[in-house]
Every structure is written in structure tokens, then in C-alpha cells.
Amino acid sequence: MLINFFYYCFFSSAVFVYGLGMHKALMKSRKPMNVLAEFVKFLITVSVSSLLVYLVTVQLIKINFGEIGPFIAIIIITLINVFLELVVKISHRTSMIDMAIELMCVVIGVTEAVSIWDGLLNSIFCMLSYFVCIPFFYSLRKRIEMNAPTKNARNLSLLFLSLAVVALILMSWNVSWLNSGRL
């Protein structure tokens, strides 16, 4: 479980590897407000839908229709979001970007799972990687603003360059490309 946590949150972060929600996290890092409410909404949606998607996908694989699993995930996540918006009113409206982040967290978590518990944890860890990046992007943004870059270098371009370096650092632990193998 701890290995999966570090793998999905840091080493194979959904934000850095897949680009999942990077733009939304960058925009959220300007003024990180209401992150806790969004986190609770994401947690409820991702956990319930990953359980349901895993159960449905297992049944679909038994009858050789496993390819429609992501379509079923879209339907389930949409239904859960509509239910949360109608009953709980956590946010003003659910944007399509939020649904895309939740969908990809569920799809990544469920497709790489061996059991229902694995699917749930993998989906939650992918979601956590998104929320871990928001304060990280905020601190990078503040650090760049403190250094007062020149007018030629825009803050956002420096931020993207910094993120590229961080992504390379996080993925450099996999040194399998150094092995010579058979020639």
C-alpha cells in the first residue's frame, strides 16, 4: 500500500506523467481557495465510482465486453456528480475539466488494479497526486514572483520550465534505460 502511494502520488504522478489536471492545478495555484471542499467532492466521487466501475468492469470482462469499461465509467461518474450537485450542493457547478480529472483517476486506478481494494486505492492516490501538486505549484509560482524575472521571460513560461525539470527528476529513478541489454 505504501509503495502504491509513493508510486501514484510522486514517481508516476498522474499530473506529471499523463498531464492530468496540470492546467487546472496551475490555475488553482494562483489563489488556492475552496480546495478542501473540492477535495471532499473528488474523494467521494472517485471512491464511489472506482468501486462501481471495478465491479462493472469485472462483469464486463467475463462476457468479453471489457472495452466498454471507460464508457461505463463516464456514465457512473456523471451520475454521481449530478447526485452530489443535487443533494449536497458542494460547489456551484461541476465543470467538464473536473469530470475529466475524476474520470482519468478512476480509469487509471481501475485498469491497473488487481483487486477491488487496489482499484480504490490507486484511484485515490491518483487523485491525491493532483491535490499535492496545487501547493507545490503555488510555492513555485511565489518563488518565481519573488525573483522578479525580466519582462522578456514570462512567469508562466518559467513555471512550465520548472515543472518540466521536476517531472524529469521524479522520473529519473527509473534507470532501466541505462542497462545495455543484449546487443
Side-chain angles (χ1 to χ4, degrees):
M1 184 170 99
L2 192 61
I3 293 171
N4 281 355
F5 171 74
F6 282 113
Y7 182 74
Y8 284 106
C9 275
F10 300 110
F11 301 129
S12 181
S13 172
V15 176
F16 288 119
V17 174
Y18 300 110
L20 177 66
M22 184 176 286
H23 185 265
K24 174 101 171 150
L26 281 172
M27 294 304 117
K28 195 69 115 161
S29 70
R30 284 188 179 159
K31 292 182 181 178
M33 298 174 62
N34 299 333
V35 176
L36 186 61
E38 188 176 352
F39 176 77
V40 170
K41 179 188 173 292
F42 269 52
L43 184 65
I44 292 170
T45 305
V46 167
S47 59
V48 171
S49 55
S50 65
L51 292 174
L52 291 175
V53 168
Y54 185 82
L55 292 173
V56 170
T57 305
V58 166
Q59 299 304 318
L60 288 174
I61 289 173
K62 287 181 183 177
I63 59 172
N64 293 328
F65 282 115
E67 293 84 16
I68 62 171
F71 178 69
I72 299 296
I74 291 171
I75 293 171
I76 290 173
I77 288 173
T78 305
L79 289 175
I80 292 172
N81 275 327
V82 167
F83 176 75
L84 285 176
E85 290 298 322
L86 289 175
V87 174
V88 184
K89 300 271 188 192
I90 292 177
S91 63
H92 299 290
R93 278 186 232 138
T94 300
S95 68
M96 292 306 290
I97 295 172
D98 291 345
M99 285 183 54
I101 294 169
E102 294 166 352
L103 171 70
M104 290 310 298
C105 287
V106 169
V107 169
I108 289 169
V110 168
T111 56
E112 296 183 5
V114 183
S115 67
I116 193 165
W117 181 249
D118 251 2
L120 174 67
L121 288 179
N122 292 349
S123 300
I124 290 174
F125 294 155
C126 282
M127 181 204 64
L128 277 174
S129 72
Y130 168 73
F131 284 102
V132 164
C133 286
I134 292 174
F136 179 71
F137 292 166
Y138 180 77
S139 65
L140 271 177
R141 185 182 294 274
K142 288 300 176 187
R143 174 68 73 173
I144 290 171
E145 288 174 1
M146 279 183 4
N147 290 333
T150 62
K151 291 182 180 179
N152 294 337
R154 296 184 62 206
N155 289 348
L156 200 56
S157 63
L158 286 174
L159 186 62
F160 276 119
L161 285 173
S162 301
L163 293 178
V165 169
V166 169
L168 285 173
I169 289 169
L170 286 175
M171 287 185 272
S172 67
W173 68 275
N174 184 5
V175 293
S176 61
W177 53 272
L178 289 176
N179 296 338
S180 60
R182 288 187 173 182
L183 295 177

